[in-house]
C-alpha cells in the first residue's frame, strides 16, 4: 500500500503518520503538508529517516500540483487531515478556511477520482478526517450520532461540513471509495499552543493569565490524540466504504473545570502551593457564536469495530503536561516561530 497522508506535520496528522510508519513497515507513507504556521516537521523527528516514510512539501489548494502528484505516485489510498483548524482564526479570516478546507479537499477528490477511474489504478480509499463541530451545538442534553443533521455555526465548522458533503457527493456520484470520521476535541503532545489546553499549559508555565471565554461554561468532549490516531487506523482498515463513524471518549468537561484540573496538576508538577495557578484564571470576552456544548456518541465505532479510548482524562491530561514540561525546546521554538527553520535546515537542500 502506498498511502498519502495530508496534514501530517500538524497535531493529529503527526500522530497518525507515526502510527502508520511504525506499525506498517510494508506500507509506503507520503506526508503532504504545506507547513503553515500549524505544521511542524519537528513533530516527526523520530520517524523522518524511516525507509517507508517521505515528506512532500505542497499545497492542496494547488490543483495542478496535486494532479501531477497523484499521476506520478499512483496512490492506493488517501488519509486527508490537512486543514485550517482553529475556530478563532476562521472568525478573522473565513476565506482561508474555504480555500484549504473546501477547495483543497475538492482538489484531492478530483485527483483521486481521476486515478480511481484509470484501468491501471488500484485506488482503494479516500478517508476524510472531520470534526463533530459539523453537527452544530447541543443544549444541556443530547448527543451527536452519525444521523444528526449538519448544522455548523462557525466558519471553521461550515468549511468542514462543506468538505464532508463533497466527499459524500464524490462517493454517491462517481462511486469514489470514500469514508468519513467525525471526532470530538483532541488533546495531547504536539498540540499547537493557540488551542485551549496547550495555551493554558504554556501560560501557567510562564505565570501568564489563562483567558477563559465567557463564563467557562461551554462543554467540550475531550479525546487523547493517540486514541484518535488508533481509531483512524481501525476505521481505515475495517470500515465499510461509504460509511461514517463518530469518534469520542464520552468525556464531557466544562472549560472552567478543564482549566481548574490543569491548574491543580501543574501546581504539583511545578512545586507551587495548591491554588497558586488558579489565580491566573481570567474571564475574557466570549467568542462570537460560541457553541455551547459538544458531546459525541461513538458507540457505533465501539460496537462494530471494537475501538475504545485507552485513557481517562485525568491520566491523559497529566501525561500531556509531562510532555510539554519535558519538551521545553519544542514549545519555545513554536512560540518564538523558530520551528519554521527546521524544514530549511533538514529538508530544503535535499
Ligand atoms: P492542525 O492545524 O494542527 O494541522 C493541520 C495541518 O495541515 C498542518 O500541518 C498544516 O501545515 C497543514 N495544512 C494546512 N493547510 C494546508 C494546505 N493548504 N495544504 C497542505 N497542508 C496544509 O490541525 P489538527 O488539529 O491536527 O487537525 C487535523 C484534522 O483533524 C483537521 O482536518 C481537523 O479538522 C480535524 N479534527 C481536529 C480536531 C481537533 O481537536 N484538533 C478534532 C476533530 C477533527
Ligand atoms: P479550542 O481549543 O479553540 O477548540 P474548539 O473551539 O474547536 O472547541 O477551544 C476549546 C474551548 O475553549 C472552546 O469552548 C473555546 C474555549 N477557549 C477559551 O475559553 N479560551 C481560549 O483562549 C481558547 C483558545 C479557547
Amino acid at each position: 500500500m502506498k498511502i498519502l497522508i495530508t496534514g501530517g506535520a500538524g497535531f493529529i496528522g503527526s500522530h497518525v503518520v507515526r502510527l502508520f510508519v511504525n506499525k506498517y513497515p510494508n506500507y509506503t507513507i507520503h506526508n503532504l503538508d504545506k507547513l503553515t504556521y500549524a505544521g511542524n516537521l519537528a513533530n516527526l523527528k523520530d520517524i523522518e529517516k524511516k525507509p517507508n516514510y517521505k515528506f512532500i512539501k505542497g499545497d492542496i489548494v494547488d490543483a495542478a500540483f496535486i494532479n501531477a502528484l497523484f499521476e506520478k505516485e499512483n496512490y492506493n489510498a488517501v488519509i486527508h487531515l490537512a486543514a485550517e483548524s482553529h475556530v478563532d482564526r476562521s472568525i478573522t479570516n473565513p476565506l482561508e478556511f474555504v480555500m484549504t478546507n473546501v477547495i483543497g479537499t475538492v482538489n484531492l477528490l478530483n485527483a483521486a477520482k481521476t486515478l480511481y477511474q484509470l484501468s491501471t489504478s488500484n485506488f482503494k480509499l479516500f478517508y476524510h478526517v472531520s470534526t463533530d463541530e459539523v453537527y452544530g451545538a447541543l443544549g444541556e442534553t443530547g448527543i451527536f450520532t452519525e444521523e444528526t443533521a449538519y448544522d455548523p455555526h462557525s466558519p471553521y465548522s461550515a468549511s468542514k461540513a462543506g468538505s464532508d458533503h463533497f466527499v459524500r457527493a464524490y462517493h454517491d456520484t462517481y462511486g469514489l471509495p470514500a469514508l468519513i470520521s467525525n471526532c470530538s476535541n483532541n488533546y495531547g503532545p504536539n498540540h499547537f499552543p493557540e488551542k485551549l489546553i496547550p495555551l493554558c499549559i504554556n501560560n501557567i508555565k510562564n505565570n501568564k493569565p489563562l483567558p477563559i471565554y465567557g463564563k467557562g461554561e461551554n462543554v467540550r468532549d475531550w479525546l487523547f490524540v493517540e486514541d484518535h490516531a488508533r481509531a483512524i487506523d481501525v476505521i481505515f482498515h475495517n470500515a465499510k466504504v461509504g460509511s461514517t463513524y463518530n469518534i469520542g471518549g464520552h468525556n464531557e468537561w466544562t472549560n472552567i473545570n478543564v482549566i481548574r484540573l490543569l491548574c491543580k496538576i501543574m501546581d504539583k508538577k511545578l512545586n507551587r502551593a495548591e491554588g497558586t495557578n488558579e489565580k491566573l484564571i481570567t474571564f475574557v470576552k466570549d467568542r462570537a457564536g460560541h457553541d455551547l456544548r459538544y458531546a459525541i456518541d461513538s458507540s457505533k465505532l465501539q460496537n462494530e469495530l471494537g475501538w475504545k479510548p485507552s485513557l481517562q482524562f485525568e491520566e491523559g491530561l497529566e501525561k500531556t503536561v509531562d510532555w510539554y514540561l519535558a519538551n521545553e525546546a519544542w514549545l519555545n521554538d513554536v512560540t518564538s516561530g523558530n520551528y519554521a527553520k527546521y524544514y530549511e535546515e533538514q529538508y530544503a537542500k535535499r
Side-chain angles (χ1 to χ4, degrees):
M1 274 252 227
K2 195 190 231 185
I3 305 172
L4 178 70
I5 299 183
T6 70
F11 167 46
I12 301 169
S14 61
H15 289 274
V16 175
V17 166
R18 175 176 300 101
L19 179 69
F20 273 70
V21 166
N22 286 333
K23 189 169 171 188
Y24 303 106
N26 294 334
Y27 291 1
T28 299
I29 305 297
H30 285 185
N31 168 15
L32 168 67
D33 200 297
K34 182 182 175 184
L35 299 182
T36 68
Y37 78 95
N40 184 354
L41 284 174
N43 293 347
L44 291 166
K45 263 185 192 163
D46 56 322
I47 57 110
E48 69 185 1
K49 298 214 162 70
K50 296 254 174 165
N52 63 336
Y53 170 75
K54 183 176 164 190
F55 172 69
I56 300 165
K57 189 170 190 292
D59 186 346
I60 58 170
V61 178
D62 181 347
F65 162 75
I66 292 294
N67 291 337
L69 180 71
F70 274 65
E71 200 181 319
K72 175 171 168 236
E73 300 292 352
N74 197 10
Y75 292 114
N76 302 116
V78 174
I79 305 177
H80 174 38
L81 295 108
E84 287 293 334
S85 69
H86 188 41
V87 173
D88 293 325
R89 287 181 189 254
S90 81
I91 295 169
T92 318
N93 189 0
L95 195 54
E96 186 84 35
F97 284 66
V98 176
M99 295 309 290
T100 293
N101 298 359
V102 183
I103 309 284
T105 301
V106 175
N107 283 339
L108 289 167
L109 287 165
N110 278 334
K113 170 168 101 42
T114 303
L115 184 57
Y116 177 65
Q117 289 173 340
L118 286 177
S119 59
T120 48
S121 115
N122 194 14
F123 187 82
K124 299 245 182 269
L125 187 63
F126 188 102
Y127 181 163
H128 179 59
V129 175
S130 192
T131 165
D132 63 351
E133 301 190 27
V134 297
Y135 297 125
L138 294 163
E140 280 176 14
T141 58
I143 193 157
F144 300 136
T145 72
E146 287 83 359
E147 275 71 49
T148 302
Y150 277 30
D151 182 24
H153 297 157
S154 73
Y156 164 65
S157 54
S159 68
K160 289 297 291 187
S163 66
D164 290 14
H165 289 319
F166 273 102
V167 173
R168 290 203 179 89
Y170 273 61
H171 171 265
D172 296 351
T173 308
Y174 308 109
L176 183 74
L179 54 84
I180 301 177
S181 59
N182 298 86
C183 188
S184 63
N185 285 64
N186 285 213
Y187 70 98
N190 306 106
H191 206 180
F192 195 85
E194 66 181 352
K195 306 272 172 84
L196 180 69
I197 290 178
L199 175 80
C200 289
I201 292 175
N202 192 33
N203 286 10
I204 291 174
K205 193 169 153 273
N206 295 308
N207 275 307
K208 284 189 174 158
L210 310 177
I212 305 298
Y213 298 162
K215 295 183 182 149
E217 285 166 353
N218 303 68
V219 173
R220 296 294 181 264
D221 190 346
W222 294 96
L223 182 71
F224 192 61
V225 63
E226 288 175 13
D227 283 336
H228 187 185
R230 281 194 309 107
I232 289 173
D233 176 21
V234 168
I235 293 168
F236 178 84
H237 286 99
N238 301 293
K240 207 170 116 235
V241 162
S243 59
T244 296
Y245 284 87
N246 283 348
I247 309 173
H250 293 282
N251 178 47
E252 291 179 50
W253 288 73
T254 58
N255 291 337
I256 188 67
N257 283 342
V258 169
I259 298 311
R260 284 196 183 119
L261 175 62
L262 187 64
C263 287
K264 216 190 250 176
I265 293 172
M266 291 190 70
D267 280 340
K268 281 205 194 113
K269 301 274 174 197
L270 298 173
N271 294 317
R272 294 178 183 170
E274 205 179 317
T276 307
N277 293 329
E278 271 207 24
K279 292 190 193 121
L280 297 169
I281 291 176
T282 310
F283 293 97
V284 299
K285 189 168 172 273
D286 209 352
R287 171 187 280 172
H290 196 172
D291 285 342
L292 178 65
R293 176 173 161 256
Y294 304 142
I296 196 142
D297 178 358
S298 61
S299 52
K300 180 181 173 194
L301 173 61
Q302 304 209 20
N303 297 337
E304 286 184 12
L305 304 184
W307 170 91
K308 54 178 192 314
S310 68
L311 283 177
Q312 292 297 313
F313 188 55
E314 290 82 349
E315 192 188 347
L317 198 57
E318 188 170 344
K319 213 170 148 175
T320 303
V321 168
D322 286 342
W323 185 86
Y324 279 91
L325 295 179
N327 288 275
E328 208 168 26
W330 184 94
L331 194 54
N332 290 343
D333 278 356
V334 169
T335 45
S336 68
N338 255 347
Y339 65 113
K341 286 190 195 139
Y342 189 76
Y343 170 76
E344 298 301 329
E345 287 164 8
Q346 302 293 324
Y347 285 85
K349 291 180 222 98
R350 282 186 196 178

